[in-house]
Amino acid sequence: MKTIVYNGPLDIRYGDVYVALGNFDGVHLGHQKLITEMVKKARASQGTAVVATFHPHPLRLIRPEAAPKLITPMDVKAGLLGRLGVDIVLILPFNPDLAKLSPEEFVQQVLHQDLRAELVLVGFNYSFGRGGKGTPELLWELGHRLGVRVRVIDAVTIAGEPVSSTAVRAALEKGDIERAADLLGYMPILRGPVVPGDQRGRNIGFRTANIELPPEQYLPARGVYAAWVRSVSLSEGILAVVNIGVKPTFGTGLAETVEAHLIDFEGDLYGQTLTLHLLRRMRPEMRFQSPEQLVEQIHRDLQDTRHFFHAQQEHIFANRIIEI
């Protein structure tokens, strides 16, 4: 798979181009249905399977105050898309020039002229073009005039609820990792490099890896999580206890951090990129009266995490922890 930033016509060597068009934040089950169908049709005609996705999120430019944090920043999104058999992830830089294109101009210039799309697949609620005025119905009309086939994919539902990025964020906001995983089809992922922290974990006997996440990353509810951690040096993965929060035991006004204590691990992880697969929220964030009380609770967290993991290990690894 290649990741390409859109800057005009797609290289002519890519023929019979099939396009899945959307933001695809989270690459949840609804997105997977759409993209899998696109890939299948591209393969049947020996064509090129392209996912065209905007970066940054369009609202970041149009209404910054309403722009959502992202479930999957671009590097994680690209990894998830690659697993679906996509040939090209085409990043459409959402800048003023792209934002001002009318729906007609977007279809004519981007989809027809530059991508030479044979078929475009979108979700049932997709909008495009200046002001988001374009609808799937308008896309079908415009495509029909230009000889570009359009397929609109219905929502995927679970227990009557449509799967959506909004629903995933709502589950994460509650710390409901199991619900989020049901909607995503995989355990939620956080990824970032290990950077120096304040050394408080080391000082109380529990070394932690301080993970630097992209500023646009959506974080689940504050608390303590069980997680499976991978990196280049941890290819097999290792169980960890992850704290997401502001460490209220040590005062107020501290920045929110993500710290992972890798169970039974000794080694230096500075500079490595860790991928955290969140498994369950074990408890909410708590303030303790002393560091000693915190240490006692950490021992309980470690024990609870081990018990949970050993009881649920088979279920967890049954297509819920994925390599990207």
Side-chain angles (χ1 to χ4, degrees), residues 26-47:
V27 194
H28 56 58
L29 291 178
H31 299 146
Q32 291 171 39
K33 176 184 176 183
L34 187 156
I35 293 164
T36 299
E37 182 158 340
M38 180 272 294
V39 170
K40 187 185 301 182
K41 290 184 179 299
R43 293 289 172 269
S45 69
Q46 298 184 323

Side-chain angles (χ1 to χ4, degrees), residues 4-295:
I4 300 174
V5 177
Y6 169 71
N7 188 28
L10 191 64
D11 193 303
I12 195 67
R13 73 176 183 270
Y14 298 115
D16 292 332
V17 177
Y18 289 69
V19 178
L21 183 61
N23 285 315
F24 303 121
D25 186 28
V27 194
H28 56 58
L29 291 178
H31 299 146
Q32 291 171 39
K33 176 184 176 183
L34 187 156
I35 293 164
T36 299
E37 182 158 340
M38 180 272 294
V39 170
K40 187 185 301 182
K41 290 184 179 299
R43 293 289 172 269
S45 69
Q46 298 184 323
T48 305
V50 176
V51 168
T53 186
F54 295 105
H55 181 75
H57 192 286
L59 285 177
R60 187 70 58 188
L61 178 68
I62 298 169
R63 285 194 296 138
E65 74 285 355
K69 294 275 190 172
L70 300 180
I71 304 162
T72 49
M74 185 54 70
D75 65 327
V76 174
K77 184 196 293 188
L80 292 167
L81 293 172
R83 294 183 71 255
L84 300 176
V86 171
D87 297 312
I88 296 173
V89 173
L90 184 71
I91 300 173
L92 303 173
F94 199 80
N95 53 35
D97 288 337
L98 193 62
K100 72 182 181 183
L101 294 180
S102 68
E104 292 79 6
E105 290 169 331
F106 180 81
V107 174
Q108 168 67 39
Q109 179 180 324
V110 179
L111 298 179
H112 178 58
Q113 179 179 313
D114 289 346
L115 299 189
R116 307 182 306 278
E118 296 278 343
L119 173 68
V120 176
L121 286 84
V122 296
F124 69 100
N125 58 352
Y126 183 68
S127 61
F128 67 100
R130 186 171 57 240
K133 299 295 186 183
T135 64
E137 293 75 20
L138 179 58
L139 179 60
W140 187 92
E141 275 183 39
L142 297 172
H144 184 68
R145 293 179 205 165
L146 296 168
V148 178
R149 291 179 291 141
V150 173
R151 176 84 192 278
V152 180
I153 304 298
D154 292 334
V156 171
T157 60
I158 295 179
E161 179 187 355
V163 175
S164 68
S165 302
T166 300
V168 174
R169 290 190 196 94
L172 293 173
E173 185 178 12
K174 299 174 185 175
D176 190 347
I177 298 301
E178 292 86 347
R179 176 62 176 166
D182 286 343
L183 297 167
L184 293 168
Y186 60 89
M187 293 298 184
I189 292 170
L190 301 176
R191 174 187 278 175
V194 178
V195 297
D198 55 23
Q199 307 297 317
R200 284 197 175 93
R202 178 177 299 182
N203 292 338
I204 61 174
F206 294 94
R207 294 184 62 182
T208 60
N210 193 62
I211 316 300
E212 183 178 61
L213 297 175
E216 69 270 22
Q217 174 74 62
Y218 188 92
L219 289 176
R222 292 174 180 174
V224 173
Y225 291 79
W228 190 252
V229 179
R230 282 198 178 106
S231 72
V232 172
S233 65
L234 300 171
S235 56
E236 297 301 316
I238 192 168
L239 185 63
V241 174
V242 174
N243 187 79
I244 299 175
V246 295
K247 295 173 281 193
T249 300
F250 297 102
T252 60
L254 297 176
E256 190 169 41
T257 59
V258 176
E259 294 179 293
H261 172 73
L262 280 59
I263 297 176
D264 300 326
F265 173 80
E266 294 290 338
D268 184 1
L269 294 170
Y270 283 124
Q272 290 193 40
T273 295
L274 298 189
T275 300
L276 280 56
H277 305 262
L278 301 180
L279 308 179
R280 174 176 287 183
R281 188 186 190 214
M282 304 304 294
R283 64 169 176 86
E285 183 172 54
M286 300 164 63
R287 185 179 184 278
F288 298 92
Q289 296 302 311
S290 68
E292 291 74 23
Q293 288 184 358
L294 172 60
V295 169

